[in-house]
Amino acid sequence: MSNTLYYLLIALGALFVWLILVALALRGWRNRGRRQEEAVGEFPDLPAELGEPVRGPHTGLYVGSTLAPSWQNRIAIGDKGDRALAELTDYEEGIALTRRGASPIWIPRESIVAVRTENGLAGKVMSRDGVLVIRWTLPTGTQIDTGLRGDDKSAYPEWVAAYEELTERAFADLDAAERESGTTKKRRKTR
C-alpha cells in the first residue's frame, strides 16, 4: 500500500469519526428539546403595540436561556437556545429581547422574578458581572434565566436598580425556603 493511500484512509477514517460525533451531538440537542417541551411550553408572544421604551434599547449578545437555577441547563426548544445579536428594551408591560436572525423573546412584567448580573450563563463564562440575567416565569410555571452580554456594561446598574425590589424579594423567598427545608447555600449579594 502506498503512502498516499495510507494517508487517504486515515483522513477518511478521521472524517467519519468526526461526522459520527457531530451527529450524536445534534441528536443529544434534539432529545434535550423533547425532554424540555412539557416544562417549558410556549413562550409569550411579543405584543403588537409596545408603547414608549422605559429603558434601553441596549445591544449585546443573547447568550441563551436556561432552566433556573442551573446556569448550564440551556433551553433547547426552537431557536430559544441559539445565541444571537440582540437588543434589550424595557417597556411598561414588560421586556422585549429582539434577536437578529431569531424570534423575539417577550418577558411580561408580571413574570419577572429578578434582574441581576452574573459571571456566566448557558455555558458561556465571562468576567465578573459580565452577563445581565433576567429570571422570569413562563406560562407553565417554570422559571428560566435569560441572559444578555451587553455591549455597554455600564447600563447594567440601571437595569439591576430598576428591579432591585423584585430581586431582593426573590432572594428572601429563596432563603426562607432553604431555611424551611434545612438546606443552605451561599448567596451572592444583590447590587
Side-chain angles (χ1 to χ4, degrees):
M1 181 163 40
S2 71
N3 280 344
T4 306
L5 182 59
Y6 176 73
Y7 290 125
L8 180 63
L9 288 175
I10 288 177
L12 288 174
L15 177 64
F16 180 73
V17 168
W18 181 79
L19 288 172
I20 296 261
L21 292 174
V22 168
L24 288 172
L26 289 172
R27 182 178 179 191
W29 185 255
R30 282 192 303 269
N31 286 339
R32 174 186 282 205
R34 278 190 221 105
R35 286 191 307 270
Q36 292 176 347
E37 279 177 348
E38 189 176 320
V40 173
E42 293 290 321
F43 276 60
D45 291 328
L46 187 71
E49 292 295 319
L50 295 172
E52 291 296 314
V54 175
R55 193 168 296 96
H58 297 286
T59 59
L61 176 72
Y62 167 74
V63 294
S65 293
T66 62
L67 294 173
S70 173
W71 71 280
Q72 290 185 324
N73 193 3
R74 188 186 202 149
I75 303 276
I77 295 173
D79 67 354
K80 303 303 186 209
D82 298 346
R83 290 190 173 111
L85 293 177
E87 193 172 83
L88 185 69
T89 311
D90 194 9
Y91 295 95
E92 284 295 324
E93 299 298 317
I95 298 173
L97 187 63
T98 51
R99 302 179 302 149
R100 194 175 308 159
S103 62
I105 295 176
W106 174 250
I107 305 172
R109 173 104 30 224
E110 64 274 5
S111 298
I112 300 170
V113 175
V115 177
R116 64 193 191 286
T117 57
E118 288 289 343
N119 298 340
L121 184 77
K124 186 151 184 88
V125 179
M126 267 133 311
S127 62
R128 180 184 164 120
D129 299 331
V131 183
L132 182 68
V133 177
I134 302 164
R135 178 164 293 175
W136 58 292
T137 307
L138 292 168
T140 60
T142 301
Q143 286 190 353
I144 66 170
D145 287 331
T146 296
L148 180 84
R149 186 191 75 199
D151 293 333
D152 179 13
K153 291 172 187 51
S154 66
Y156 290 178
E158 179 185 359
W159 283 87
V160 171
Y163 292 94
E164 187 171 15
E165 186 178 318
L166 275 177
T167 304
E168 287 177 0
R169 189 174 335 135
F171 282 113
D173 292 346
L174 186 58
D175 288 341
E178 286 176 350
R179 279 193 301 278
E180 192 174 292
S181 69
T183 62
T184 57
K185 291 181 181 176
K186 186 178 177 181
R187 291 273 167 237
R188 270 183 359 103
K189 288 184 182 177
T190 58
R191 284 172 236 327

Short mmCIF file of all heavy atoms in Angstrom, two decimals, residues 126-163:
data_model
loop_
_atom_site.label_atom_id
_atom_site.label_comp_id
_atom_site.label_asym_id
_atom_site.label_seq_id
_atom_site.Cartn_x
_atom_site.Cartn_y
_atom_site.Cartn_z
N MET A 126 -17.96 34.60 31.52
CA MET A 126 -17.36 35.89 31.26
C MET A 126 -16.70 36.44 32.50
O MET A 126 -16.66 35.78 33.53
CB MET A 126 -18.44 36.87 30.78
CG MET A 126 -18.53 36.87 29.31
SD MET A 126 -20.08 36.77 28.53
CE MET A 126 -21.08 35.57 29.06
N SER A 127 -16.25 37.66 32.40
CA SER A 127 -15.66 38.31 33.56
C SER A 127 -16.73 38.59 34.60
O SER A 127 -17.92 38.41 34.35
CB SER A 127 -14.99 39.62 33.12
OG SER A 127 -15.97 40.48 32.58
N ARG A 128 -16.31 39.06 35.73
CA ARG A 128 -17.24 39.36 36.82
C ARG A 128 -18.37 40.26 36.32
O ARG A 128 -18.15 41.27 35.68
CB ARG A 128 -16.49 40.04 37.95
CG ARG A 128 -17.36 40.38 39.10
CD ARG A 128 -16.59 41.15 40.15
NE ARG A 128 -17.53 41.77 41.04
CZ ARG A 128 -17.58 41.53 42.33
NH1 ARG A 128 -16.71 40.73 42.88
NH2 ARG A 128 -18.47 42.11 43.07
N ASP A 129 -19.59 39.85 36.63
CA ASP A 129 -20.80 40.60 36.26
C ASP A 129 -20.86 40.88 34.77
O ASP A 129 -21.31 41.94 34.34
CB ASP A 129 -20.89 41.91 37.06
CG ASP A 129 -20.97 41.67 38.55
OD1 ASP A 129 -21.49 40.60 38.95
OD2 ASP A 129 -20.51 42.52 39.31
N GLY A 130 -20.45 39.93 33.97
CA GLY A 130 -20.41 40.11 32.52
C GLY A 130 -21.72 39.88 31.81
O GLY A 130 -21.84 40.23 30.64
N VAL A 131 -22.71 39.30 32.49
CA VAL A 131 -23.99 38.99 31.85
C VAL A 131 -25.13 39.58 32.68
O VAL A 131 -25.15 39.43 33.90
CB VAL A 131 -24.21 37.46 31.73
CG1 VAL A 131 -25.50 37.14 31.00
CG2 VAL A 131 -23.05 36.79 31.03
N LEU A 132 -26.06 40.25 32.01
CA LEU A 132 -27.28 40.72 32.65
C LEU A 132 -28.28 39.57 32.55
O LEU A 132 -28.60 39.13 31.44
CB LEU A 132 -27.81 41.97 31.97
CG LEU A 132 -29.06 42.58 32.59
CD1 LEU A 132 -28.75 43.15 33.98
CD2 LEU A 132 -29.62 43.67 31.70
N VAL A 133 -28.75 39.08 33.69
CA VAL A 133 -29.62 37.90 33.72
C VAL A 133 -30.99 38.29 34.26
O VAL A 133 -31.09 38.92 35.31
CB VAL A 133 -29.01 36.78 34.58
CG1 VAL A 133 -29.95 35.59 34.66
CG2 VAL A 133 -27.67 36.36 34.02
N ILE A 134 -32.03 37.90 33.52
CA ILE A 134 -33.41 38.14 33.94
C ILE A 134 -34.04 36.79 34.26
O ILE A 134 -34.12 35.92 33.40
CB ILE A 134 -34.21 38.83 32.81
CG1 ILE A 134 -33.53 40.14 32.43
CG2 ILE A 134 -35.66 39.05 33.25
CD1 ILE A 134 -34.00 40.70 31.10
N ARG A 135 -34.43 36.61 35.51
CA ARG A 135 -35.16 35.38 35.88
C ARG A 135 -36.64 35.70 35.77
O ARG A 135 -37.11 36.69 36.30
CB ARG A 135 -34.82 34.94 37.30
CG ARG A 135 -35.63 33.69 37.67
CD ARG A 135 -35.10 32.98 38.86
NE ARG A 135 -33.80 32.41 38.56
CZ ARG A 135 -33.04 31.80 39.47
NH1 ARG A 135 -33.46 31.68 40.71
NH2 ARG A 135 -31.86 31.32 39.14
N TRP A 136 -37.35 34.84 35.06
CA TRP A 136 -38.77 35.05 34.87
C TRP A 136 -39.51 33.73 34.80
O TRP A 136 -38.91 32.68 34.64
CB TRP A 136 -39.03 35.93 33.65
CG TRP A 136 -38.50 35.44 32.34
CD1 TRP A 136 -37.19 35.32 31.97
CD2 TRP A 136 -39.26 35.03 31.21
NE1 TRP A 136 -37.09 34.87 30.68
CE2 TRP A 136 -38.35 34.69 30.18
CE3 TRP A 136 -40.62 34.95 30.95
CZ2 TRP A 136 -38.76 34.25 28.93
CZ3 TRP A 136 -41.03 34.52 29.70
CH2 TRP A 136 -40.11 34.17 28.71
N THR A 137 -40.82 33.81 34.96
CA THR A 137 -41.66 32.61 34.99
C THR A 137 -42.44 32.49 33.70
O THR A 137 -43.13 33.42 33.28
CB THR A 137 -42.63 32.68 36.19
OG1 THR A 137 -41.88 32.92 37.38
CG2 THR A 137 -43.42 31.40 36.33
N LEU A 138 -42.33 31.33 33.07
CA LEU A 138 -43.07 31.04 31.84
C LEU A 138 -44.54 30.76 32.18
O LEU A 138 -44.87 30.49 33.34
CB LEU A 138 -42.47 29.81 31.16
CG LEU A 138 -41.07 30.00 30.57
CD1 LEU A 138 -40.47 28.66 30.19
CD2 LEU A 138 -41.14 30.91 29.36
N PRO A 139 -45.44 30.79 31.21
CA PRO A 139 -46.85 30.47 31.48
C PRO A 139 -47.05 29.09 32.11
O PRO A 139 -48.04 28.87 32.81
CB PRO A 139 -47.50 30.55 30.08
CG PRO A 139 -46.65 31.51 29.33
CD PRO A 139 -45.25 31.27 29.83
N THR A 140 -46.11 28.16 31.90
CA THR A 140 -46.22 26.82 32.50
C THR A 140 -45.86 26.82 33.99
O THR A 140 -46.05 25.81 34.66
CB THR A 140 -45.29 25.82 31.79
OG1 THR A 140 -43.95 26.29 31.91
CG2 THR A 140 -45.68 25.64 30.34
N GLY A 141 -45.31 27.92 34.49
CA GLY A 141 -44.88 28.00 35.88
C GLY A 141 -43.40 27.71 36.06
O GLY A 141 -42.86 27.85 37.15
N THR A 142 -42.71 27.33 35.02
CA THR A 142 -41.28 27.05 35.07
C THR A 142 -40.51 28.36 35.05
O THR A 142 -40.78 29.24 34.24
CB THR A 142 -40.86 26.19 33.85
OG1 THR A 142 -41.60 24.98 33.88
CG2 THR A 142 -39.37 25.89 33.88
N GLN A 143 -39.53 28.48 35.94
CA GLN A 143 -38.68 29.67 35.95
C GLN A 143 -37.46 29.44 35.09
O GLN A 143 -36.86 28.36 35.13
CB GLN A 143 -38.25 30.03 37.37
CG GLN A 143 -39.36 30.62 38.19
CD GLN A 143 -38.87 31.19 39.50
OE1 GLN A 143 -37.71 31.04 39.89
NE2 GLN A 143 -39.76 31.86 40.20
N ILE A 144 -37.12 30.45 34.31
CA ILE A 144 -35.92 30.39 33.47
C ILE A 144 -35.10 31.66 33.66
O ILE A 144 -35.60 32.68 34.11
CB ILE A 144 -36.24 30.18 31.97
CG1 ILE A 144 -36.97 31.38 31.38
CG2 ILE A 144 -37.02 28.90 31.76
CD1 ILE A 144 -37.10 31.30 29.86
N ASP A 145 -33.82 31.56 33.34
CA ASP A 145 -32.91 32.69 33.34
C ASP A 145 -32.57 33.00 31.89
O ASP A 145 -32.16 32.11 31.14
CB ASP A 145 -31.62 32.38 34.10
CG ASP A 145 -31.82 32.32 35.60
OD1 ASP A 145 -32.72 33.01 36.10
OD2 ASP A 145 -31.06 31.61 36.28
N THR A 146 -32.72 34.26 31.50
CA THR A 146 -32.40 34.72 30.16
C THR A 146 -31.28 35.73 30.28
O THR A 146 -31.37 36.64 31.10
CB THR A 146 -33.65 35.35 29.49
OG1 THR A 146 -34.64 34.33 29.36
CG2 THR A 146 -33.32 35.92 28.14
N GLY A 147 -30.21 35.56 29.49
CA GLY A 147 -29.04 36.41 29.65
C GLY A 147 -28.62 37.16 28.41
O GLY A 147 -28.75 36.68 27.29
N LEU A 148 -28.10 38.38 28.64
CA LEU A 148 -27.57 39.22 27.59
C LEU A 148 -26.20 39.73 28.03
O LEU A 148 -26.07 40.27 29.13
CB LEU A 148 -28.49 40.43 27.34
CG LEU A 148 -28.02 41.38 26.26
CD1 LEU A 148 -28.46 40.88 24.89
CD2 LEU A 148 -28.55 42.78 26.49
N ARG A 149 -25.21 39.51 27.17
CA ARG A 149 -23.89 40.11 27.40
C ARG A 149 -23.91 41.43 26.65
O ARG A 149 -23.81 41.47 25.44
CB ARG A 149 -22.77 39.21 26.88
CG ARG A 149 -21.38 39.77 27.24
CD ARG A 149 -20.30 39.07 26.54
NE ARG A 149 -20.31 39.53 25.15
CZ ARG A 149 -19.75 38.90 24.14
NH1 ARG A 149 -19.18 37.74 24.32
NH2 ARG A 149 -19.81 39.39 22.92
N GLY A 150 -24.06 42.50 27.38
CA GLY A 150 -24.24 43.82 26.78
C GLY A 150 -22.97 44.36 26.16
O GLY A 150 -21.86 44.09 26.63
N ASP A 151 -23.15 45.14 25.10
CA ASP A 151 -22.02 45.85 24.50
C ASP A 151 -21.52 46.92 25.46
O ASP A 151 -20.33 47.21 25.51
CB ASP A 151 -22.43 46.48 23.17
CG ASP A 151 -22.74 45.45 22.11
OD1 ASP A 151 -22.20 44.33 22.18
OD2 ASP A 151 -23.54 45.76 21.21
N ASP A 152 -22.45 47.52 26.21
CA ASP A 152 -22.12 48.57 27.17
C ASP A 152 -22.55 48.09 28.57
O ASP A 152 -23.72 48.21 28.94
CB ASP A 152 -22.85 49.87 26.80
CG ASP A 152 -22.56 51.00 27.77
OD1 ASP A 152 -21.62 50.87 28.58
OD2 ASP A 152 -23.28 52.01 27.70
N LYS A 153 -21.60 47.56 29.31
CA LYS A 153 -21.91 47.01 30.63
C LYS A 153 -22.23 48.09 31.66
O LYS A 153 -22.72 47.79 32.74
CB LYS A 153 -20.78 46.11 31.08
CG LYS A 153 -20.76 44.85 30.23
CD LYS A 153 -19.56 43.99 30.50
CE LYS A 153 -19.46 42.86 29.53
NZ LYS A 153 -19.54 43.16 28.14
N SER A 154 -21.99 49.35 31.32
CA SER A 154 -22.33 50.43 32.25
C SER A 154 -23.85 50.60 32.37
O SER A 154 -24.33 51.31 33.25
CB SER A 154 -21.68 51.74 31.82
OG SER A 154 -22.23 52.19 30.60
N ALA A 155 -24.62 49.96 31.49
CA ALA A 155 -26.08 50.02 31.58
C ALA A 155 -26.62 49.02 32.60
O ALA A 155 -27.77 49.15 33.04
CB ALA A 155 -26.70 49.73 30.22
N TYR A 156 -25.84 48.04 33.00
CA TYR A 156 -26.31 47.01 33.93
C TYR A 156 -26.84 47.58 35.25
O TYR A 156 -27.91 47.16 35.72
CB TYR A 156 -25.21 46.00 34.24
CG TYR A 156 -24.82 45.07 33.11
CD1 TYR A 156 -23.81 44.14 33.29
CD2 TYR A 156 -25.45 45.10 31.87
CE1 TYR A 156 -23.44 43.28 32.28
CE2 TYR A 156 -25.07 44.24 30.85
CZ TYR A 156 -24.07 43.33 31.06
OH TYR A 156 -23.70 42.48 30.07
N PRO A 157 -26.12 48.50 35.90
CA PRO A 157 -26.63 49.01 37.18
C PRO A 157 -28.02 49.63 37.09
O PRO A 157 -28.83 49.48 38.01
CB PRO A 157 -25.58 50.05 37.60
CG PRO A 157 -24.33 49.63 36.93
CD PRO A 157 -24.77 49.03 35.62
N GLU A 158 -28.33 50.28 35.98
CA GLU A 158 -29.66 50.86 35.79
C GLU A 158 -30.73 49.77 35.76
O GLU A 158 -31.79 49.90 36.38
CB GLU A 158 -29.67 51.65 34.48
CG GLU A 158 -31.01 52.28 34.16
CD GLU A 158 -31.04 52.95 32.79
OE1 GLU A 158 -30.02 52.94 32.08
OE2 GLU A 158 -32.12 53.45 32.44
N TRP A 159 -30.45 48.68 35.07
CA TRP A 159 -31.40 47.56 35.00
C TRP A 159 -31.55 46.89 36.35
O TRP A 159 -32.67 46.60 36.79
CB TRP A 159 -30.94 46.54 33.96
CG TRP A 159 -31.21 46.95 32.56
CD1 TRP A 159 -30.41 47.72 31.77
CD2 TRP A 159 -32.36 46.65 31.78
NE1 TRP A 159 -30.99 47.90 30.54
CE2 TRP A 159 -32.18 47.25 30.51
CE3 TRP A 159 -33.50 45.91 32.01
CZ2 TRP A 159 -33.13 47.14 29.50
CZ3 TRP A 159 -34.44 45.80 30.99
CH2 TRP A 159 -34.25 46.41 29.77
N VAL A 160 -30.44 46.65 37.02
CA VAL A 160 -30.48 45.98 38.33
C VAL A 160 -31.22 46.84 39.34
O VAL A 160 -32.05 46.35 40.10
CB VAL A 160 -29.05 45.63 38.80
CG1 VAL A 160 -29.06 45.13 40.24
CG2 VAL A 160 -28.44 44.58 37.88
N ALA A 161 -30.94 48.15 39.34
CA ALA A 161 -31.60 49.06 40.29
C ALA A 161 -33.10 49.14 40.03
O ALA A 161 -33.90 49.20 40.98
CB ALA A 161 -30.98 50.44 40.19
N ALA A 162 -33.52 49.11 38.77
CA ALA A 162 -34.93 49.21 38.44
C ALA A 162 -35.73 48.03 38.97
O ALA A 162 -36.92 48.16 39.27
CB ALA A 162 -35.10 49.33 36.93
N TYR A 163 -35.09 46.89 39.10
CA TYR A 163 -35.78 45.67 39.56
C TYR A 163 -35.25 45.19 40.91
O TYR A 163 -35.46 44.04 41.27
CB TYR A 163 -35.64 44.57 38.50
CG TYR A 163 -36.39 44.88 37.24
CD1 TYR A 163 -35.77 45.51 36.16
CD2 TYR A 163 -37.75 44.59 37.14
CE1 TYR A 163 -36.48 45.82 35.01
CE2 TYR A 163 -38.46 44.90 36.00
CZ TYR A 163 -37.82 45.51 34.94
OH TYR A 163 -38.52 45.82 33.80
#
